[in-house]
Amino acid sequence: MESMLNKLKSTVTKVTADVTSAVMGNPVTREFEVGRHIASGGPGLCWRIYNGTKKSTKQEVAVFVFDKKMVDKYQKFEKDQIIDSLKKGVQQLTRLRHPRLLTVQHPLEESRDCLAFCTEPVFASLSNVLGQWDNLPCPVPNDIKEYKLFDVEIKYGLLQMSEGMAFLHSGVKMVHGNLCLENIILNKSGAWKIMGFDFSISSTNPTEAEPKYTCKEWEPNLPPLCLPNPEYLAPEYILSVSCDSASDMYSLGVVMHAIFNEGKPVFQVSKHDIFKSFSRQLDQLSTMSPAVLNKIPEDVREHVKMLLSVTPNVRPDADQMTKMPFFDDVGAVTLQYFDSLFQRDNLQKSQFFKGLPKVLPKLPKRVVVYRILPALTSEFVNPDMVPFVLPNVLLIAEDCTKEEYVRLILPDLTPVFKQQEPVQASNMILLIFLQKMDLLLTKTPEGDIKNSVLPMVYRALEAPSVQIQELCLNIIPTFANLIDYPSMKNSLIPKIKSACLQTSSLAVRVNSLVCLGKILEYLDKWFVIDEILPFLQQIPSREPAVLMGILGIYKCTYSHKKLGIPKENLASKTLPHLVSLSIDNNLNLNQFNSFMVVIRDMLSRMEAEHKTKLEQLHIMQEQQRSINITNSGNQSEETKSPPSSGSQIDDIFGSTGVNGKENGSAATASQPNRMSLTLEEKQRLAKEQEQAVKLRNQQPLAPQTIKPAASTNSQTKDLTSSLLSSMTSLNNLSMANTARPAPAQGTTIAAFPTSGPMVGSMGAPVSNGFNPPMGFQAAGMGMGMRAAGPGLYGGMATTSSTPNFGTISQNHASVGQTHRAPDMSALDNLFTSSKPKVTLNQLGPAATPGANSPWLSQYGSGQNPQTQMQGVGGAPAAGFGMQANPFFSPQNFSQPAAAPPNMKHGASVNSDLKDLFG
């Protein structure tokens, strides 16, 4: 690595030293930057050619430098002759202006060490290209070493030389005097240019028709740089010391022979005995062997033989040479037309540019890139010609490498991307660019795409031409990955949506939907859901192609891994929209089936997702419920406290009366957290029931049996069937659980006189609590009473029935007692352990005769034929069905029902009922 660096350093140092030593102090360096040594040219290849740039304008130039050290071996007068000859040639070149002559950008400047002048950019001399590498940098540049002339370049180069000679002979009346390979320069575009006017001869009578030229005698003792190249001189120049325009034509013949003969002229001349060599050459030219010209193309061989004729009059002149069939080549004609393009009008140019794409593939790439391309790009300054020039430029760009495209084409294309005037030309330019968008995106750097190409695409979306909009929508997906997200969100998508909604073209609308579908993957999920999907519902047309485009976007969004449509959106917006579109009359069977496939897929996924969510939620609820039950059981075991009367009432009534479960086992299963009575509580309850029976036996009541009800829960049946006869026991149980003092036995029954002649189990008239004197309608209630039966609640179909509190109701008509409020203190103790429970006063209010019962008015409408009580012989009796009972109507408690307007309750009855029944 170090050796390579040292080698590179030495090379750079040597080049810098050469440039410094050659040009230092020359006035040319004040205005021009001198670069590397690239070629050599001029008489004897004495001029070193450097590339350079003008400091003020950065314009590229070629700097010709003659180092005076090259002639140090000569005497001073010889040096002066050489310098004077070189000066004369440059000065003459500077005065002459013609496309076939090398253009001088800065005149000759002389310093102590060198001569220098600047010209148009130069590649090399024709002599360098053909293998003469004198005065070239070491090593020889590869571009010169590997340069090969194409046939079209040779043809057009020789045509250029002929045109240059015609200009000198006819226009300036001048003989060049030294036309040879080293004085033909190839500029950077490959055009052949003439220089080396050191030995030019002007006519002594320029105003006359026949010019006359005075030729100098050959002086063999002069340095070679003071004499023309003898190998290219006509024989008369040496032998008869005469010359005219025909002498230059002989030199052109030798040049043509050398080009086809690897740079070697027709004859080798000995400079030591020039006269003898020319005499021998004259004889050979008189009897020229065909083998001398066998390398020259046949269609030009005869003309070359004429140019090399000994007799000057036989030689064709320059004008005649330009008309040779040899130059009637399509490539040569094309290049010639480009050189005269500035003379053509717009109509002629447009016709030429239209036919150019057929010619370009036939030309070598180097000729196209370095000769034709610069001429084309120079026409970009003419806006009217851009639509005709641009297709050719892009055609050339296809054959260029990315580096060549960026260096040679893109700088000239950048202003064209932004061109908007004139409008018609601008639309044509957009159309051309869109057709070649793949080329632009492939070879244009990313920064230039964002700065130049994308703004042009945005402009194309708003173009009035439907064709331009269609092309633009088709190519956008090909480079969507190069668009930054803010630009796509704020610029591109709104313009596509606007084009879709505002256009009257079905093709544009469909292409807009297709374009959106292809670029969905570059958008984020919520932008698509919030902006793209609602936009689909705004599209007014219902053509099948549009509907299928809408379906495609829904399907892409729904199935894309990154995007997807949430089930909420599917249910509320997407599916309703798709279903409504699917039944459009414009759709055929296949299109309808496509809709249904997507709809069914969406429904299936929505069902699966929501079902999974509900299952997970159910599992979580069950887990939480299990935790709550476990915590409740643990707390019960730790406290060991006896159940309250409120919980006992819940155990007895809550499973059927409040929760509405007629089957006791079902009620128990639906409420796993219900606590059953312990064995000790059951024993205590049995003892208290026995004491209650003894108290009833002391009263003169008729015996009555209780009909056993069918139930699966034996515990609940026993508690329910004996509840009426064990009110005192429940009272005592309640007081025992709540640690309240129990009232004296018997006060409960005494406090509530019987109200009618109903026969009870104790052989005495018993009231059911809802006799007609209390204001309740007895007829049609569906409850019948038998004279004697097994139980008080004969005909009830459930064991979890509520005890009948009729025995504690008051009937003024039957007993004739004065009206007084009943003493409810005993039964109040049943509910006082749990404050939310309702009191007995609120369950059985004393009503005046004829008043409507609030219970009957609220619950008397419903009847359940399966739970109606039947009287003896089917005769209706006073009372109401089970459906009218609030404990048998759980649906009435699912939500607190509003009390009728005529219903009057005691204090806090609403809140107590609400607390009791949920």
Side-chain angles (χ1 to χ4, degrees):
M1 176 62 72
E2 185 177 359
S3 62
M4 291 179 63
L5 292 176
N6 290 335
K7 183 178 180 181
L8 178 62
K9 181 179 179 181
S10 63
T11 302
V12 173
T13 303
K14 183 177 183 300
V15 172
T16 305
D18 291 342
V19 174
T20 302
S21 61
V23 191
M24 181 180 294
N26 194 290
V28 169
T29 58
R30 299 172 188 172
E31 299 182 25
F32 297 89
E33 292 284 351
V34 181
R36 64 184 183 88
H37 184 192
I38 57 173
S40 61
L45 299 177
C46 65
W47 292 96
R48 289 184 177 181
I49 305 174
Y50 297 84
N51 59 14
T53 55
K54 192 170 184 178
K55 295 180 179 179
S56 58
T57 61
K58 302 300 179 183
Q59 179 185 1
E60 189 176 2
V61 297
V63 182
F64 283 71
V65 178
F66 173 75
D67 190 354
K68 293 181 178 180
K69 292 180 180 179
M70 293 178 61
V71 292
D72 284 345
K73 60 182 179 179
Y74 298 108
Q75 300 294 328
K76 184 178 183 302
F77 75 94
E78 293 177 337
K79 291 181 182 180
D80 293 339
Q81 281 185 316
I82 295 173
I83 298 300
D84 291 341
S85 177
L86 294 175
K87 285 181 179 181
K88 175 190 174 183
V90 176
Q91 291 169 354
Q92 192 70 274
L93 179 64
T94 305
R95 287 194 294 266
L96 298 174
R97 294 288 181 177
H98 190 269
R100 304 299 174 241
L101 306 183
L102 186 64
T103 303
V104 177
Q105 302 286 359
H106 188 84
L108 181 69
E109 299 281 0
E110 182 178 6
S111 64
R112 183 173 58 88
D113 296 323
C114 69
L115 301 175
F117 67 99
C118 298
T119 68
E120 59 183 298
V122 166
F123 170 69
S125 64
L126 186 58
S127 183
N128 292 153
V129 169
L130 292 175
Q132 298 180 21
W133 298 338
D134 297 343
N135 209 13
L136 284 179
C138 186
V140 177
N142 288 331
D143 53 354
I144 292 180
K145 188 184 298 185
E146 298 173 359
Y147 194 93
K148 300 297 180 183
L149 290 171
F150 295 104
D151 289 340
V152 64
E153 291 180 298
I154 294 174
K155 288 181 179 181
Y156 187 57
L158 293 176
L159 178 60
Q160 288 176 309
M161 293 299 97
S162 300
E163 292 175 348
M165 292 293 103
F167 166 73
L168 292 176
H169 298 164
S170 301
V172 186
K173 304 294 182 63
M174 177 185 292
V175 173
H176 185 277
N178 193 22
L179 185 64
C180 56
L181 296 181
E182 54 260 33
N183 283 331
I184 299 175
I185 303 295
L186 277 63
N187 68 4
K188 197 168 184 180
S189 297
W192 292 14
K193 301 295 184 80
I194 300 173
M195 67 167 294
F197 289 87
D198 305 42
F199 308 102
S200 61
I201 305 171
S202 297
S203 173
T204 56
N205 53 347
T207 58
E208 297 180 6
E210 287 292 332
K212 187 176 182 180
Y213 303 99
T214 302
C215 181
K216 292 184 179 180
E217 187 178 355
W218 183 266
E219 298 182 15
N221 297 326
L222 291 176
L225 290 179
C226 294
L227 296 171
N229 189 337
E231 294 177 345
Y232 292 86
L233 285 178
E236 65 271 13
Y237 192 98
I238 302 296
L239 299 178
S240 61
V241 192
S242 63
C243 66
D244 57 10
S245 58
S247 301
D248 282 343
M249 300 311 296
Y250 177 92
S251 300
L252 180 60
V254 179
V255 168
M256 294 176 69
H257 181 276
I259 290 173
F260 293 109
N261 198 33
E262 299 177 355
K264 297 177 182 178
V266 180
F267 304 107
Q268 297 291 330
V269 176
S270 174
K271 298 179 182 179
H272 298 288
D273 192 358
I274 189 70
F275 296 102
K276 187 175 181 179
S277 296
F278 264 85
S279 298
R280 187 171 54 253
Q281 176 181 335
L282 188 61
D283 296 337
Q284 293 175 351
L285 289 174
S286 300
T287 58
M288 183 176 293
S289 171
V292 176
L293 305 176
N294 60 358
K295 292 185 178 181
I296 300 175
E298 186 175 358
D299 52 354
V300 76
R301 186 177 301 167
E302 189 64 28
H303 293 84
V304 172
K305 185 176 181 181
M306 294 171 62
L307 290 173
L308 296 178
S309 173
V310 176
T311 307
N313 294 334
V314 177
R315 303 167 191 164
D317 59 27
D319 290 329
Q320 292 172 343
M321 286 294 296
T322 59
K323 296 177 177 60
M324 283 196 311
F326 178 70
F327 298 134
D328 291 339
D329 179 81
V330 61
V333 172
T334 300
L335 295 176
Q336 185 181 24
Y337 194 95
F338 270 108
D339 288 339
S340 61
L341 201 61
F342 63 95
Q343 302 175 1
R344 316 289 178 172
D345 57 25
N346 285 347
L347 181 59
Q348 293 174 326
K349 290 180 181 179
S350 63
Q351 294 297 329
F352 172 72
F353 291 140
K354 286 179 181 179
L356 185 60
K358 298 179 181 178
V359 179
L360 291 178
K362 301 178 182 179
L363 300 177
K365 177 182 176 181
R366 185 176 69 223
V367 175
V368 171
V369 171
Y370 292 101
R371 291 296 307 276
I372 296 179
L373 181 61
L376 290 173
T377 55
S378 65
E379 288 294 320
F380 282 155
V381 297
N382 186 354
D384 294 328
M385 285 293 102
V386 174
F388 302 98
V389 174
L390 187 58
N392 296 288
V393 174
L394 296 179
L395 183 62
I396 295 172
E398 290 180 353
D399 292 333
C400 293
T401 64
K402 186 174 182 179
E403 185 274 333
E404 290 172 339
Y405 169 81
V406 172
R407 178 170 55 90
L408 301 174
I409 300 178
L410 184 58
D412 295 308
L413 281 183
T414 302
V416 182
F417 286 136
K418 303 175 183 179
Q419 182 173 331
Q420 300 185 33
E421 295 293 338
V423 176
Q424 185 176 2
S426 177
N427 290 338
M428 291 295 296
I429 292 170
L430 286 175
L431 187 61
I432 295 169
F433 274 132
L434 292 175
Q435 291 172 339
K436 295 291 185 179
M437 187 58 66
D438 55 341
L439 167 69
L440 298 177
L441 297 176
T442 303
K443 298 188 176 182
T444 305
E446 184 175 348
D448 293 289
I449 289 177
K450 293 180 179 180
N451 297 329
S452 301
V453 179
L454 291 185
M456 179 196 65
V457 173
Y458 300 153
R459 196 169 69 250
L461 282 173
E462 300 173 345
S465 172
V466 172
Q467 186 180 7
I468 293 176
Q469 287 182 320
E470 285 186 57
L471 278 175
C472 185
L473 291 168
N474 287 332
I475 61 95
I476 284 175
T478 62
F479 64 95
N481 60 317
L482 302 177
I483 305 176
D484 58 311
Y485 185 73
S487 297
M488 179 174 290
K489 178 180 177 181
N490 301 321
S491 299
L492 183 61
I493 298 298
K495 287 181 171 59
I496 295 176
K497 291 165 61 177
S498 176
C500 182
L501 293 177
Q502 297 178 5
T503 185
S504 58
S505 169
L506 176 62
V508 172
R509 183 163 289 153
V510 173
N511 282 317
S512 299
L513 295 174
V514 173
C515 179
L516 284 176
K518 291 181 179 179
I519 65 177
L520 285 177
E521 59 181 319
Y522 304 110
L523 305 175
D524 64 68
K525 176 178 181 179
W526 298 114
F527 179 79
V528 174
I529 293 174
D530 295 340
E531 298 292 335
I532 303 299
L533 299 188
F535 154 73
L536 299 179
Q537 301 183 15
Q538 302 172 11
I539 299 176
S541 59
R542 286 295 178 267
E543 291 82 359
V546 175
L547 297 181
M548 297 307 294
I550 294 174
L551 176 65
I553 292 180
Y554 274 123
K555 184 177 180 180
C556 291
T557 305
Y558 166 74
S559 60
H560 198 279
K561 294 181 179 180
K562 187 183 77 170
L563 301 176
I565 304 178
K567 66 178 187 299
E568 294 80 8
N569 188 286
L570 283 176
S572 62
K573 297 178 181 179
T574 300
L575 282 172
H577 189 216
L578 284 177
V579 170
S580 65
L581 295 182
S582 66
I583 60 174
D584 193 280
N585 294 330
N586 294 324
L587 296 177
N588 59 30
L589 179 60
N590 291 333
Q591 293 166 344
F592 172 76
N593 290 336
S594 299
F595 267 90
M596 297 312 298
V597 167
V598 176
I599 290 173
R600 281 193 291 266
D601 192 12
M602 289 182 175
L603 283 171
S604 300
R605 184 179 297 183
M606 183 182 68
E607 177 186 2
E609 290 182 2
H610 197 64
K611 188 175 182 180
T612 302
K613 175 183 176 181
L614 294 179
E615 290 174 351
Q616 295 174 351
L617 182 61
H618 177 72
I619 293 173
M620 294 173 61
Q621 291 174 346
E622 290 297 326
Q623 293 175 350
Q624 184 64 33
R625 186 177 299 170
S626 300
I627 294 173
N628 293 340
I629 293 174
T630 304
N631 293 339
S632 177
N634 294 338
Q635 183 178 3
S636 172
E637 293 177 359
E638 292 175 0
T639 57
K640 298 295 183 179
S641 60
S644 64
S645 61
S647 63
Q648 291 177 354
I649 293 298
D650 289 340
D651 293 335
I652 297 171
F653 304 117
S655 62
T656 55
V658 177
N659 293 330
K661 300 292 183 180
E662 294 182 4
N663 190 296
S665 62
T668 305
S670 63
Q671 295 183 2
N673 59 345
R674 288 290 184 186
M675 301 296 292
S676 61
L677 296 177
T678 63
L679 182 60
E680 292 80 0
E681 293 171 346
K682 292 179 180 180
Q683 292 174 350
R684 185 170 62 254
L685 183 58
K687 292 179 181 180
E688 292 171 347
Q689 290 174 353
E690 291 177 2
Q691 295 176 1
V693 170
K694 293 179 180 180
L695 291 175
R696 290 197 301 272
N697 290 335
Q698 296 175 2
Q699 299 181 6
L701 297 175
Q704 184 178 6
T705 60
I706 301 176
K707 180 181 179 180
S711 173
T712 60
N713 193 330
S714 60
Q715 174 184 345
T716 308
K717 178 184 69 176
D718 296 339
L719 292 175
T720 305
S721 63
S722 62
L723 183 58
L724 180 62
S725 63
S726 62
M727 296 304 299
T728 306
S729 301
L730 287 174
N731 185 30
N732 294 335
L733 176 61
S734 175
M735 290 185 296
N737 290 338
T738 58
R740 291 180 58 182
Q745 293 184 0
T747 57
T748 304
I749 300 301
F752 299 94
T754 60
S755 58
M758 182 180 290
V759 180
S761 63
M762 294 176 286
V766 180
S767 172
N768 64 356
F770 299 99
N771 289 328
M774 296 296 290
F776 295 96
Q777 297 177 2
M781 297 303 292
M783 179 181 285
M785 299 299 296
R786 290 181 293 182
L792 178 63
Y793 296 101
M796 285 193 176
T798 179
T799 61
S800 58
S801 303
T802 305
N804 194 330
F805 295 106
T807 57
I808 60 177
S809 301
Q810 193 174 32
N811 193 330
H812 300 279
S814 61
V815 298
Q817 296 181 354
T818 60
H819 175 70
R820 61 185 177 87
D823 186 4
M824 310 292 285
S825 60
L827 286 178
D828 282 346
N829 295 329
L830 182 64
F831 301 96
T832 54
S833 62
S834 180
K835 288 185 179 182
K837 305 301 180 180
V838 71
T839 64
L840 191 58
N841 278 328
Q842 296 161 354
L843 288 174
T848 58
N852 290 330
S853 170
W855 289 115
L856 187 61
S857 63
Q858 185 174 359
Y859 303 106
S861 61
Q863 294 186 11
N864 190 343
Q866 296 179 357
T867 59
Q868 291 178 349
M869 298 184 68
Q870 303 295 329
V872 180
F880 58 91
M882 294 174 63
Q883 187 67 21
N885 193 319
F887 293 94
F888 291 97
S889 300
Q891 65 273 16
N892 294 316
F893 307 113
S894 62
Q895 291 183 356
N902 58 351
M903 187 172 185
K904 298 180 181 179
H905 299 290
S908 71
V909 63
N910 288 330
S911 60
D912 290 343
L913 283 173
K914 183 178 180 180
D915 295 335
L916 179 61
F917 303 121

